[in-house]
Amino acid sequence: VAQLLLAAIDLETTGADMGHPSFAAGILRLPAAQELVTEQLLQPLKIAVQRSFRLTQKLCELPAAQQLSSEAVAQLLLAAAADDAASVQGILKALLALPAASGLSSDALPQMLQAAVDASCFQNIAHIVALPAAALLRSQQIYLTLKTVFGIPRHLKSASCLARLCKLPAAAQ
């Protein structure tokens, strides 16, 4: 099932059937899809995060996705945070709804913040700083992110994003 799922995702996101998740959706309805283990789901999920909100959302509904480790979710969030596509907001929300997202360590966040800043996607920053682990960021990590953000041209900045960064406990230090 995992191999069929990979092939369907590839076909739907790069081929003539791009944007029509009927093949993958059909595979995901199979009883065997509900029995995938996290190791089998991770590769299809990595590809979906880079290509399709709808597929990411459907994959995140599988039981195996609910059991992904914090490290796996951190990798997926890092890939999504670096994307500035319009669909990335939905992808981030689907990933942040996974149980492991609430258990991320603050060590994973600086890379995610930097990726979001590099992509000039301040909505992504807002999602990242809303994570519980953001309250544990060190002042140096916040300083480096703010320094980078302040170096970006004014028309690309988000005042609400800056306000959220400045409200973190580490920003007060």
Side-chain angles (χ1 to χ4, degrees):
V1 172
Q3 294 302 319
L4 284 173
L5 189 55
L6 279 170
I9 290 170
D10 192 50
L11 177 66
E12 291 172 21
T13 58
T14 60
D17 293 319
M18 193 167 154
H20 303 285
S22 58
F23 298 121
I27 292 168
L28 292 173
R29 284 192 294 272
L30 294 172
Q34 301 300 312
E35 296 175 17
L36 287 170
V37 295
T38 56
E39 294 79 19
Q40 293 171 311
L41 182 63
L42 198 53
Q43 188 60 31
L45 197 48
K46 284 179 182 179
I47 294 168
V49 162
Q50 296 172 344
R51 299 183 188 174
S52 171
F53 159 65
R54 289 185 291 184
L55 287 173
T56 300
Q57 189 175 35
K58 288 191 178 300
L59 290 168
C60 285
E61 294 170 359
L62 290 173
Q66 302 302 309
Q67 298 186 11
L68 287 169
S69 68
S70 294
E71 294 80 18
V73 172
Q75 285 180 332
L76 296 167
L77 284 167
L78 180 59
D83 195 344
D84 63 352
S87 64
V88 78
Q89 298 308 305
I91 291 170
L92 279 171
K93 286 178 184 177
L95 294 172
L96 290 170
L98 293 172
S102 63
L104 290 173
S105 78
S106 60
D107 294 337
L109 300 188
Q111 268 189 299
M112 289 179 214
L113 286 171
Q114 188 60 51
V117 168
D118 291 346
S120 296
C121 196
F122 296 101
Q123 290 176 331
N124 293 1
I125 295 172
H127 286 296
I128 295 164
V129 299
L131 287 166
L136 303 174
L137 287 169
R138 295 186 301 278
S139 58
Q140 182 66 17
Q141 293 166 320
I142 298 296
Y143 167 76
L144 292 173
T145 301
L146 285 170
K147 182 178 171 185
T148 305
V149 169
F150 284 124
I152 293 172
R154 178 174 286 216
H155 69 283
L156 294 176
K157 290 181 194 168
S158 165
S160 65
C161 171
L162 288 172
R164 286 184 181 171
L165 279 167
C166 291
K167 285 182 184 177
L168 290 172
Q173 297 176 351

